[in-house]
Amino acid sequence: MMLSDPIFTTLDPDQRRAVLHDGGPLLLVAGAGSGKTRAIVARIVRLLRDGVPARSILGITFTNRAAGEMRERVAKALVPDGDPSAGDAVARSFPGTSRAAHVPWLGTFHAFGAILLRRHGDRIGLSRRFVIYDTRDQHDVLKRILKDLNVDEKKFPPAKFGWLIERAKRDGVSVEQAALSAGWRVVTTAGQVGKAYDDALAEAGAVDFTDLIRLPVTLLRGAPDVLAAVRSEVRHLLVDEFQDVDGAQAELTELLAQGADSFCAVGDEDQSIYGWRGASAAPMLSFEGRHPGSKVIHLSTNYRSRAAILSVAGALIAKNRSRREKKITPAREGGERPSMSVYADQEAEAQEVAAAVAREIRAGVAPTEIAVFYRVNAQSRAVEDALRMLRIPYVLRGALSFYERAAVRDAVSYLKWFLHPDDAVSLKRLLKFPRRGVGEVTLEKSRAAARREGIPPSGALSRIPNLAPLFSFRALWLAELPQMSPAEALHALLSGAGYLDALEASAREPGEGREGAGREEDLEHVRELLRVAEAFTGEGEDGLLEFLEKVTLAAEEAGVEESKAVRLMTLHNAKGLEFDVVFLVGLEDGLLPHSRSVDSPHEIEEERRLFYVGLTRARERVFLSLVRRRNLFGSYRDTVPSRFLYDLPASLVRRTDGALPESPPGRGLFGGAGPGHRVTVHREPRYEEENPSARPRKVRHPVFGEGQVESVQGEGKDQKIIARFPVYGLKKILVRAVEMEFLD
């Protein structure tokens, strides 16, 4: 290895130690802005320069965007000067293609799981032609199941059952057990829905996103020869964002890491913010115990944020107990202290934030380098209105991505169904355009006939006269598939099935919405999808399946339009990004920390980490704000400052107005003594405050079941309680209108 190479000379001492670590397990504790991607890329390049075969290096991260960035950086370091075409080939390289032997594999957990299942899924009864159902596909399946079971979708939305099924799969328990654990009272119904969902996926030859992790674990556990073969291939394992692995991902990592020549886990428990989806920093915090003889290296220099911002962030996160002690040294000294403002309501807050954004833009800050963060999506409305009034362009991160566009999903549905004609979800979508005269009643009769005769659904569907031409063309297409590239196969499919002709004809017609001009946009989206397919050079079914996985996995990650606009997003969506200027709004108890978290010390710590993530996205300036009154649930309520603000020493934050809540003198930003200090601001009384000696109360509602009382409004005949129920969420109930039982 040549340490004079620029990729190594730019490393700091901590990063260099990580790159030069030889064998055995390595935990790289990488704080915000510490240059972890630079270290990971340099470590991969170092292994390659030392003669390690590229095919024996496996790098796993959580998003396609992060994986793509790593691939590009590795490609840039490896490709000889003057050969840009080679760089493109390396950057696009993916397992299953002829180029895979020349570069390491870098991708997501889900993409790696899909590869394992394509190669070895037959060992657990899975066809290599399986399709991947994303969140929308899952919703469509559950919607049909609830209708078949006569379950009221308004009371039990498909998304609730989707969450429960995901939890059951992730935790390795039955849906009934997951329902009991979550406090559901409809356990039997949950079990019926879960079984029907499994049957629907099996019938369609489909897996969902949770299956892409769960099934590979099942496969490797139950097939020692497959496990041995995979381990012989994967000699050097790198896992990024290790603080965000869930139980199944942690187990998959352990199965791959055992016996590897090197295992490098990279993460920061201070940025673990996805507990609501099963993620946990526990594997990271217990790393040394599970990997005896492991090395721990801290990347201790922050290259992103000014020292003034890091001082505030450090004071905040130091209050968490579930973390390693660490010292972060700013590479960029000085900077403005973050400011703190209190406004009358969210409209005033939004107007002042928009005005401040305008000032930043006039001062020369690019709109793309300005972001507004909030805890929940509903907070964006006031900010959007204020920005529009000032004609400041903005984009919402999490808005509709290219792969979520209707025409793109149509085209992908055709591809899924042609590969697996028992996929009921894709069939239902492709029958919508162009119309083929086959409705839900006909489909249900066909499904019933298939069940009676004991044949696959496609066997009965092929007898429907209006579908016969589609089945005939499918047979011809499959016969030609081995000689076609993914782009050729997709174009032939969409053309032969009549989709492109119908789209072009519709685009020529006047109309609104998805007709006329709207169809012109749809047509361009499909053409762009064909251009995406051209990047995949494999032939036949393998190349097409590779393309399909890419598209399906990318669709699950919402994209952000690249435009000259301010970014608006939730704190969860801010993870992994950075901006010159950050506005963090709505710093009130009930929002941050969220009301769902206030009774759990563990969840309070995660909410504090969320605040920390928001602060550490900023390079130059941070503006914090809260309001005295906020309109929630249709009426204004007095608020209290976030308890986290009491963690911030007053000397580190600029208070920009004199209208802050009064409180006894102390050390905190608001003069309080800490998170438990109460300020003299009126708010809705919590039950515990009206009855100091009482424990938190539970209530049994005749419809909603058992719930936790969170607060009480009014008194006498107008008294209302606000309670949270496991299935139904937060409900406001007039006490005199319902017969309820209060539980001790």
Side-chain angles (χ1 to χ4, degrees):
M1 177 181 67
M2 297 178 61
L3 291 178
S4 60
D5 189 301
I7 197 171
F8 302 116
T9 57
T10 59
L11 300 174
D12 66 32
D14 294 328
Q15 293 168 339
R16 184 169 290 222
R17 285 167 55 218
V19 169
L20 296 178
H21 176 75
D22 284 324
L26 168 65
L27 178 64
L28 194 56
V29 182
S34 62
K36 66 163 185 175
T37 304
R38 183 191 311 166
I40 294 172
V41 169
R43 179 168 175 80
I44 292 171
V45 172
R46 176 248 160 154
L47 291 171
L48 294 169
R49 297 271 174 85
D50 282 354
V52 172
R55 63 181 176 274
S56 69
I57 301 173
L58 173 65
I60 299 179
T61 187
F62 274 78
T63 67
N64 288 312
R65 181 178 57 81
E69 180 183 355
M70 285 188 190
R71 283 196 294 272
E72 289 174 7
R73 291 202 194 184
V74 171
K76 186 176 180 180
L78 292 176
V79 173
D81 292 339
D83 188 6
S85 62
D88 291 340
V90 173
R92 290 197 305 265
S93 190
F94 206 78
T97 72
S98 58
R99 297 169 301 208
H102 301 97
V103 294
W105 188 85
L106 299 168
T108 65
F109 269 107
H110 293 95
F112 180 70
I115 290 168
L116 284 182
L117 294 177
R118 293 283 181 214
R119 292 180 179 174
H120 307 290
D122 59 317
R123 298 291 294 275
I124 54 174
L126 188 65
S127 165
R128 69 185 306 275
R129 280 186 177 176
F130 68 84
V131 295
I132 301 171
Y133 276 7
D134 61 16
T135 303
R136 285 197 180 185
D137 295 328
Q138 182 188 57
H139 180 276
D140 290 343
V141 171
L142 289 169
K143 192 177 180 71
R144 176 167 59 83
I145 289 171
L146 295 180
K147 181 180 179 181
D148 291 345
L149 294 176
N150 294 317
V151 176
D152 188 343
E153 187 181 319
K154 292 182 179 179
K155 290 184 178 179
F156 302 97
K160 289 283 188 182
F161 283 103
W163 169 84
L164 187 71
I165 290 168
E166 178 183 346
R167 176 173 175 171
K169 290 184 176 184
R170 195 177 61 227
D171 295 344
V173 300
S174 68
V175 173
E176 291 91 339
Q177 288 173 302
L180 282 170
S181 177
W184 286 36
R185 296 176 65 85
V186 288
V187 174
T188 301
T189 300
Q192 292 172 336
V193 172
K195 183 180 184 307
Y197 177 78
D198 288 342
D199 291 344
L201 260 63
E203 181 178 87
V207 299
D208 60 26
F209 270 70
T210 310
D211 289 331
L212 290 178
I213 309 299
R214 179 182 67 92
L215 292 179
V217 170
T218 302
L219 168 67
L220 295 180
R221 271 198 208 141
D225 57 324
V226 174
L227 177 58
V230 172
R231 284 178 176 171
S232 69
E233 291 182 50
V234 180
R235 304 309 307 153
H236 298 271
L237 175 66
L238 298 98
V239 179
D240 190 19
E241 303 289 2
F242 196 59
Q243 77 279 349
D244 288 329
V245 295
D246 62 27
Q249 290 164 340
E251 187 170 358
L252 180 58
T253 299
E254 290 296 323
L255 287 167
L256 297 173
Q258 291 172 19
D261 294 335
S262 72
F263 167 38
C264 177
V266 186
D268 176 18
E269 69 275 6
D270 288 340
Q271 299 183 72
S272 179
I273 59 173
Y274 298 112
W276 49 274
R277 68 181 187 196
S280 171
M284 182 168 176
L285 292 171
S286 61
F287 189 86
E288 299 97 307
R290 290 182 294 106
H291 298 277
S294 58
K295 179 81 170 178
V296 178
I297 297 176
H298 289 252
L299 299 187
S300 57
T301 303
N302 181 294
Y303 295 94
R304 177 189 300 152
S305 305
R306 290 285 187 182
I309 297 172
L310 291 180
S311 295
V312 173
L316 172 74
I317 202 62
K319 298 297 181 180
N320 272 7
R321 295 182 178 181
S322 300
R323 66 188 297 268
R324 299 167 187 268
E325 288 298 324
K326 57 177 74 74
K327 180 181 179 181
I328 302 297
T329 303
R332 307 175 68 226
E333 293 293 340
E336 296 180 16
R337 289 180 297 162
S339 70
M340 179 74 236
S341 300
V342 181
Y343 301 105
D345 53 35
Q346 64 257 47
E347 280 74 25
E349 178 185 48
Q351 290 163 12
E352 289 298 325
V353 166
V357 168
R359 288 193 294 271
E360 293 288 341
I361 294 173
R362 286 197 299 270
V365 179
T368 53
E369 293 298 336
I370 302 173
V372 182
F373 299 156
Y374 34 82
R375 177 61 178 86
V376 298
N377 279 307
Q379 291 174 260
S380 75
R381 193 274 312 160
V383 180
E384 290 184 69
D385 289 349
L387 291 173
R388 281 197 298 268
M389 288 290 292
L390 296 183
R391 297 185 178 180
I392 298 173
Y394 67 88
V395 292
L396 290 165
R397 182 172 173 82
L400 205 62
S401 73
F402 169 75
Y403 293 105
E404 285 290 287
R405 302 291 182 182
V408 174
R409 292 185 66 86
D410 286 348
V412 171
S413 292
Y414 272 88
L415 182 52
K416 286 181 175 180
W417 185 82
F418 267 61
L419 287 170
H420 204 297
D422 294 319
D423 178 1
V425 171
S426 295
L427 176 63
K428 186 175 180 180
R429 185 174 185 94
L430 71 84
L431 289 177
K432 291 180 179 178
F433 186 82
R435 297 285 182 179
R436 300 180 190 272
V438 180
E440 185 61 37
V441 174
T442 302
L443 291 176
E444 182 51 44
K445 288 180 178 178
S446 177
R447 285 194 290 264
R451 288 193 292 268
R452 284 195 308 270
E453 299 173 33
I455 60 175
S458 55
L461 288 168
S462 64
R463 301 196 294 251
I464 298 174
N466 287 3
L467 291 184
L470 206 57
F471 275 93
S472 297
F473 172 67
R474 177 178 177 272
L476 295 173
W477 180 80
L478 287 174
E480 296 294 327
L481 180 58
Q483 288 77 46
M484 291 191 287
S485 69
E488 292 168 340
L490 181 61
H491 187 276
L493 185 160
L494 297 178
S495 178
Y499 182 73
L500 282 178
D501 286 346
L503 205 56
E504 290 171 352
S506 182
R508 291 191 293 267
E509 297 174 0
E512 298 180 356
R514 291 201 65 202
E515 303 301 326
R519 286 296 187 190
E520 289 183 9
E521 187 175 323
D522 288 347
L523 191 58
E524 182 52 41
H525 288 151
V526 174
R527 289 169 178 158
E528 180 62 26
L529 184 67
L530 289 167
R531 287 192 284 270
V532 171
E534 290 172 359
F536 293 77
T537 58
E539 290 187 347
E541 191 172 305
D542 286 343
L544 200 57
L545 289 171
E546 177 191 335
F547 165 72
L548 182 57
E549 281 169 17
K550 167 77 174 179
V551 171
T552 308
L553 294 173
E556 193 68 4
E557 293 182 20
V560 179
E561 291 184 38
E562 292 300 323
S563 60
K564 295 180 179 180
V566 175
R567 268 50 176 169
L568 273 59
M569 67 193 76
T570 66
L571 284 162
H572 282 101
N573 279 326
K575 181 74 164 57
L577 304 178
E578 56 184 58
F579 303 91
D580 282 347
V581 181
V582 163
F583 293 84
L584 221 167
V585 302
L587 296 177
E588 301 136 30
D589 254 30
L591 283 178
L592 188 68
H594 196 279
S595 59
R596 289 195 299 263
S597 306
V598 295
D599 294 325
S600 166
H602 173 76
E603 292 180 10
I604 285 291
E605 290 210 347
E606 180 160 320
E607 293 286 305
R608 186 180 281 112
R609 292 194 292 269
L610 201 53
F611 190 1
Y612 174 79
V613 164
L615 287 170
T616 55
R617 299 309 94 196
R619 300 188 194 99
E620 301 291 341
R621 286 180 293 286
V622 172
F623 298 88
L624 310 175
S625 62
L626 62 105
V627 304
R628 297 190 196 90
R629 300 174 69 242
R630 183 170 295 276
N631 190 336
L632 292 175
F633 308 113
S635 61
Y636 277 96
R637 301 192 307 177
D638 292 336
T639 67
V640 291
S642 167
R643 65 192 68 190
F644 300 146
L645 296 175
Y646 295 97
D647 297 336
L648 309 182
S651 61
L652 300 180
V653 180
R654 292 182 298 121
R655 291 166 54 160
T656 59
D657 63 37
L660 293 165
E662 297 293 335
S663 58
R667 62 172 178 80
L669 176 62
F670 291 136
H677 177 76
R678 295 186 183 181
V679 295
T680 55
V681 176
H682 295 291
R683 58 170 171 162
E684 288 184 341
R686 291 179 60 85
Y687 187 88
E688 305 93 274
E689 291 165 357
E690 294 184 333
N691 301 270
S693 62
R695 294 175 293 171
R697 291 286 296 273
K698 289 186 176 180
V699 64
R700 181 177 289 124
H701 188 278
V703 174
F704 305 142
E706 278 190 19
Q708 180 77 40
V709 176
E710 294 201 353
S711 62
V712 178
Q713 294 180 350
E715 56 187 21
K717 67 177 183 177
D718 295 323
Q719 188 177 58
K720 302 180 182 70
I721 66 164
I722 296 177
R724 186 172 300 281
F725 299 88
V727 175
Y728 298 90
L730 203 64
K731 295 292 183 181
K732 182 185 290 187
I733 304 164
L734 183 63
V735 174
R736 64 181 171 85
V738 182
E739 290 187 8
M740 293 181 293
E741 180 183 0
F742 286 86
L743 309 175
D744 292 330

